[in-house]
Amino acid sequence: MSGRAGAAVGVFDSGIGGLTVVRELIKVLPEEPIVYLGDTARVPYGNKSRETVVKFSTENVLFLLQHDVKLVIVACHTASSFALPFLERHFKHPILGVIEPGVEMALEVTRSGRIGVIGTQATVGSGAYPHSFAHRNRSVRLTQAACPLFVPLVEEGLPNDPVAREMARRYLRPFTAARVDTLILGCTHYPLLKRTISEVMGPKVRLIDSARQVALKAKVILGEMDLAAGRGRGRGGGNGSSAPRRFYVTDEPRHFEALSVRFLGRRLGDVSRVDVAKV
Ligand code: DGL
């Protein structure tokens, strides 16, 4: 296994939002090479059917596997909700989704057992979160709601705008009514709305940033499998500041490059266009 330690961590998302996961991966695992695929030609996934999302996700994984990845992270909550069980059955590679890490953390921090989940229509409709809680045999009182306008608000650069606050007030009403003490941010874009969501929910409600949790989980998995960067090379892996990171998109890269500042804190300038359907 250690021979593969030099391989990259593969990450895919429906588009740009998965960069919130990359941002946390860079913080938690700075030495890891990363290959990122954003399916910008077919975004959004959040309003598509299970069959379609499974098909797209399979193509995305096949693309990443061509790039010698040792772990695939499904950064997209919609893809994790709809496609993860299928991907786990069909690929031998370790594949990590974003649902479980968020659920685990929510169970760890909730005191009242009243937990909320926000996500895309598809994520909420899929039943992936209720299933995951039920699977753990933990009786929680779960409240879910889709927040479809949050994604465009973030992409338009308005996460702290009064418009976002007004939408948050409307979307989050069921959660204040249910008196949740923990709210899972079940979509790639929502970590960028933390301030606004927290203002509406109040300081006592704990927000679970799935991007952070999945990065921490990736660290555990790579450690357990003896696949962490630097392992195969013995000592002297360096501090990882120059770990190679490659970014691919399925539509023209300019829009993605411009938006990357918001998600990653710096502008990516070397994004390549690929056709994953041809893989
Ligand atoms: N990446 C998606 C998710 O996390 C949000 C954007 C989309 O609908 O494709 O569910």
Side-chain angles (χ1 to χ4, degrees):
M1 275 289 185
S2 61
R4 308 227 346 107
V9 173
V11 181
F12 84 81
D13 177 49
S14 55
I16 186 124
L19 291 183
T20 54
V21 171
V22 170
R23 191 179 57 184
E24 295 304 323
L25 279 173
I26 292 172
K27 283 188 212 154
V28 174
L29 293 163
E31 296 189 11
E32 292 296 341
I34 293 172
V35 178
Y36 180 91
L37 172 66
D39 193 7
T40 49
R42 306 188 289 195
V43 73
Y45 284 11
N47 55 11
K48 294 199 169 63
S49 69
R50 182 182 296 270
E51 295 71 25
T52 299
V53 173
V54 168
K55 176 180 180 290
F56 292 171
S57 301
T58 305
E59 289 170 358
N60 296 339
V61 173
L62 286 170
F63 172 82
L64 288 174
L65 293 185
Q66 284 197 330
H67 287 75
D68 186 31
V69 296
K70 56 191 172 187
L71 169 68
V72 171
I73 298 181
V74 184
C76 177
H77 288 71
T78 303
S80 294
S81 298
F82 273 159
L84 192 66
F86 178 91
L87 299 175
E88 284 173 338
R89 278 198 308 277
H90 284 80
F91 293 100
K92 286 199 201 82
H93 257 69
I95 302 184
L96 175 59
V98 274
I99 308 298
E100 298 297 320
V103 166
E104 280 167 19
M105 189 60 186
L107 286 173
E108 221 172 289
V109 302
T110 185
R111 283 201 239 126
S112 65
R114 288 191 292 267
I115 298 175
V117 176
I118 50 175
T120 62
Q121 305 274 17
T123 295
V124 168
S126 74
Y129 277 100
H131 179 79
S132 175
F133 281 108
H135 182 69
R136 275 152 220 281
N137 246 340
R138 289 281 300 269
S139 73
V140 295
R141 271 208 265 157
L142 200 61
T143 306
Q144 294 196 94
C147 308
L149 286 176
F150 276 175
V151 166
L153 281 166
V154 168
E155 294 199 0
E156 290 302 319
L158 301 169
N160 303 310
D161 191 88
V163 182
R165 206 160 310 124
E166 175 53 26
M167 285 321 299
R169 258 186 230 116
R170 292 193 200 189
Y171 283 145
L172 299 174
R173 231 170 256 150
F175 301 94
T176 24
R179 291 185 293 120
V180 303
D181 71 354
T182 306
L183 181 65
I184 300 179
L185 308 181
C187 175
T188 45
H189 291 57
Y190 300 176
L192 278 84
L193 282 156
K194 259 187 208 163
R195 207 169 86 196
T196 297
I197 293 173
S198 187
E199 271 170 25
V200 173
M201 292 306 296
K204 289 202 185 120
V205 174
R206 180 79 181 262
L207 303 184
I208 305 295
D209 179 343
S210 308
R212 176 83 186 160
Q213 295 314 315
V214 80
L216 294 170
K217 183 88 180 194
K219 184 175 183 175
V220 171
I221 290 175
L222 293 177
E224 280 172 0
M225 300 183 85
D226 203 20
L227 285 178
R231 285 269 185 240
R233 287 172 276 140
R235 291 200 287 135
N239 62 14
S241 53
S242 58
R245 294 176 195 124
R246 280 170 292 156
F247 295 86
Y248 298 92
V249 289
T250 53
D251 200 357
E252 64 88 23
R254 258 172 307 159
H255 185 58
F256 183 91
E257 286 172 355
L259 279 185
S260 63
V261 184
R262 267 175 221 150
F263 287 82
L264 218 47
R266 70 190 168 85
R267 190 190 162 102
L268 294 168
D270 48 358
V271 180
S272 313
R273 183 176 183 166
V274 288
D275 186 350
V276 291
K278 283 205 185 127
V279 169

